[in-house]
Amino acid sequence: MKKYITILIVALVFCSCESELELSSPSELTAAGFWDTENGARAAHTGLYGDFRSSNGTFWLMGEMRSDIWGGTTFESPANLGLIESNITVATAPFGAWAGLYSNIHKVNDFLENIQGTPFGNEIDKNQLIGQAYGLRAFYYYTLLKTWGDVPISTVPLTTVDPSNLSKARSPQSEVMALIKADLEASLTAFGSDNSFFGGTRVYWSKAATLALKGDVYIWSGNLMGGGAADFTTAKTALEQISALGVSLAPSIADLWNVSNENNSEFIFAVDYKQDEASNFYNSLTGRSTEINPQFTQDGSALTDFIINGANRYGPTEKTLLVLDDVEDARRDATFIRLYTDNATYPTYDPTNYFGSIFNKYLGQVVGTERIFENNTAIYRYADVVLMLAEVKNLLGEDPTNEINAIRARAYGANYNVAIHGFINGTPTSNANAILEERYKEFVGEGKRWWDLRRAGDNFVINNISFLNSGDEFKLVLPITIDMIGRNPLLVQTPGYN
């Protein structure tokens, strides 16, 4: 491995994660001996999560913006309308240079290559880190596959900066999926019987996270890539193991969004944010005090003292507001603070004096006169696992009632009445639509909806996204930029965009 790679890793670690390291001696982290010590390997491991956090806003955009959630009233100029409206061409292709994800992958590759020879005081600790790295790489490649379809494969560290040696063609989706599945198995093998959450927190990848991703991946490959019942059965087996790993639904949906409860048992893998280190991106779904303070909540309360200095670039669609318009469902108020221009009471959505919405998940905490957006944001939480179980059971011709009702019972709390709110098993198509609607209510703003529709099948996307019509199926994956093709002559454009 070339010296420059280790220097880059050292720079990244010291810039973003120095406070998390316990170094016995700075001299142990010289470029020449970086991988000779356990401390060096642990420093590189910490850096992998700095990379992941840097890409988290991109993951959110990829999984959220092309769905039917956003595109409604905003206080300020709306952002990412091209994604929201699926108005995407070669000239306007988003996420150039593969959204920078190969930079992250190359660092994971470097980690996996070099940690093998690093001596550890405890091999269980070493295998834990290896299991995490394979899980992260599987997640990156799964994101690339879902976004672009065919993508290049790289599994070894960079050993040259010569551009002529860096060009790679796009590999077929089948090969990319095979790599993802192989990495999932390598991750589980490395974890072995270690079911722990590293460091006692949920901000590192874990065996539970690998199993959640495995369920997600195998539903996708079973439904969209011909894997069928065999893949569905594999997904179900993986998902059913997670409840025994210290993971469960939180008693209340509102409990999940408090900074003080961010290490709750429902979060399986979350991205770490801290004051003065990094803020999450949810400030863009709030607004400025100059706009918000003159308004009123849906129950007529004044917002004069509401502390915020954010932006309001994304507004929920009317469809989203109506989906979340059941006053007995706790997800309604846990998801949005609806603003009105007068102090009347609006038990349900009323467009007459509606001003806009503040996203109420991950709303940070007020410190003095400032709101700090330091919530850890979940990539997988157990409600996701429960509803994926419902999804895969339906695909296998089984009854998903128990899983759907577990989510509804939590949402309605003391108001839950199975005769009124309970799910009734129906046809596979009606069940699929019911599961999608439940996931819609549960995961607004969490980067899930677009992937949920995609995983269900092309027809579900076309039927739910008003900006897409029959014949637009090629738009479900993105084009690559002209610049990317110019820099890598082995790349060909995504089919349908030529």
Side-chain angles (χ1 to χ4, degrees):
M1 183 191 67
K2 292 292 185 181
K3 181 177 178 179
Y4 82 94
I5 299 173
T6 54
I7 292 173
L8 285 174
I9 295 176
V10 173
L12 172 66
V13 170
F14 276 98
C15 288
S16 63
C17 307
E18 184 178 5
S19 63
E20 298 182 30
L21 304 182
E22 296 179 1
L23 306 179
S24 58
S25 169
S27 65
E28 290 183 13
L29 295 182
T30 60
F34 187 88
W35 292 102
D36 294 342
T37 68
E38 182 173 333
N39 278 341
R42 287 183 181 274
H45 163 260
T46 303
L48 298 181
Y49 289 92
D51 296 333
F52 194 99
R53 185 169 64 190
S54 296
S55 297
N56 194 31
T58 297
F59 298 143
W60 182 76
L61 288 173
M62 287 175 168
E64 186 88 6
M65 277 302 114
R66 299 188 66 193
S67 72
D68 41 4
I69 292 177
W70 306 102
T73 301
T74 58
F75 315 159
E76 304 169 53
S77 300
N80 282 303
L81 284 179
L83 283 174
I84 291 170
E85 298 175 357
S86 287
N87 184 19
I88 299 167
T89 66
V90 171
T92 62
F95 309 120
W98 306 111
L101 297 185
Y102 282 102
S103 175
N104 297 6
I105 288 170
H106 290 317
K107 291 169 187 174
V108 175
N109 292 343
D110 190 60
F111 181 87
L112 288 170
E113 173 89 5
N114 287 284
I115 194 175
Q116 304 297 333
T118 303
F120 267 64
N122 186 334
E123 283 297 304
I124 293 176
D125 290 347
K126 181 176 180 177
N127 288 334
Q128 165 75 225
L129 303 191
I130 292 171
Q132 291 181 38
Y134 275 116
L136 291 173
R137 191 168 73 178
F139 183 89
Y140 287 136
Y141 272 110
Y142 185 42
T143 302
L144 288 164
L145 180 148
K146 292 186 296 182
T147 305
W148 284 283
D150 299 347
V151 295
I153 289 177
S154 176
T155 58
V156 296
L158 290 173
T159 58
T160 178
V161 293
D162 182 357
S164 64
N165 293 327
L166 297 178
S167 296
K168 284 182 175 289
R170 299 172 75 166
S171 296
Q173 290 189 56
S174 58
E175 293 181 13
V176 181
M177 180 56 77
L179 171 63
I180 294 166
K181 291 178 177 179
D183 277 356
L184 290 170
E185 294 314 307
S187 176
L188 292 173
T189 298
F191 282 125
S193 61
D194 185 355
N195 300 334
S196 66
F197 289 90
F198 186 73
T201 76
R202 310 297 172 109
V203 299
Y204 297 98
W205 199 266
S206 62
K207 184 177 181 179
T210 296
L211 290 169
L213 177 59
K214 184 174 181 178
D216 192 344
V217 164
Y218 274 83
I219 295 173
W220 185 284
S221 67
N223 206 30
L224 303 182
M225 300 181 66
D231 278 4
F232 298 146
T233 301
T234 299
K236 181 183 175 187
T237 300
L239 295 168
E240 287 179 331
Q241 295 178 57
I242 297 171
S243 63
L245 304 182
V247 181
S248 60
L249 291 176
S252 167
I253 186 74
D255 292 342
L256 295 172
W257 321 119
N258 300 322
V259 173
S260 60
N261 194 37
E262 59 191 9
N263 201 38
N264 63 81
S265 63
E266 183 161 334
F267 282 9
I268 295 172
F269 173 55
V271 180
D272 191 30
Y273 293 94
K274 287 186 177 69
Q275 184 178 1
D276 301 325
E277 182 179 308
S279 299
N280 67 46
F281 44 83
Y282 283 100
N283 203 12
S284 295
L285 281 70
T286 58
R288 298 174 296 190
S289 58
T290 53
E291 298 153 333
I292 292 173
N293 290 164
Q295 313 309 324
F296 300 85
T297 66
Q298 58 217 17
D299 63 4
S301 300
L303 285 162
T304 308
D305 298 324
F306 191 83
I307 295 175
I308 195 71
N309 186 25
N312 193 263
R313 304 295 189 184
Y314 306 101
T317 59
E318 193 164 71
K319 176 182 178 181
T320 299
L321 294 170
L322 292 173
V323 162
L324 286 170
D325 211 28
D326 186 340
V327 296
E328 294 185 338
D329 188 333
R331 293 172 295 193
R332 174 181 182 268
D333 294 339
T335 303
F336 290 112
I337 302 171
R338 305 182 189 194
L339 309 185
Y340 289 87
T341 57
D342 62 9
N343 63 353
T345 300
Y346 296 93
T348 57
Y349 169 69
D350 187 332
T352 306
N353 293 306
Y354 174 72
F355 182 77
S357 291
I358 300 169
F359 191 62
N360 204 20
K361 297 178 181 179
Y362 301 127
L363 196 52
Q365 62 180 341
V366 174
V367 179
T369 59
E370 185 179 4
R371 187 176 294 272
I372 308 299
F373 283 79
E374 58 176 338
N375 306 74
N376 293 349
T377 64
I379 300 297
Y380 282 113
R381 57 184 177 93
Y382 191 59
D384 198 358
V385 172
V386 173
L387 288 173
M388 283 195 290
L389 263 173
E391 189 176 339
V392 76
K393 282 187 173 183
N394 184 52
L395 289 164
L396 285 167
E398 301 174 11
D399 185 352
T401 297
N402 289 341
E403 287 72 25
I404 296 173
N405 282 347
I407 299 300
R408 291 186 181 182
R410 197 261 297 270
Y412 285 95
N415 296 318
Y416 181 69
N417 183 333
V418 69
I420 299 171
H421 305 114
F423 170 77
I424 298 174
N425 190 31
T427 67
T429 299
S430 66
N431 288 354
N433 281 312
I435 294 166
L436 281 171
E437 182 166 335
E438 207 64 42
R439 290 186 65 88
Y440 194 163
K441 295 176 183 179
E442 185 72 21
F443 297 111
V444 166
E446 297 184 56
K448 299 287 183 179
R449 175 66 173 171
W450 174 252
W451 299 140
D452 291 345
L453 293 170
R454 290 275 284 111
R455 194 173 58 237
D458 293 0
N459 289 341
F460 291 94
V461 182
I462 300 299
N463 290 340
N464 281 278
I465 307 301
S466 61
F467 297 105
L468 293 171
N469 301 297
S470 180
D472 288 337
E473 285 79 6
F474 73 94
K475 293 184 179 180
L476 303 187
V477 291
L478 294 179
I480 58 176
T481 65
I482 296 171
D483 179 69
M484 290 165 67
I485 295 174
R487 292 174 181 272
N488 181 354
L490 299 181
L491 293 178
V492 296
Q493 187 56 263
T494 306
Y497 289 98
N498 293 315

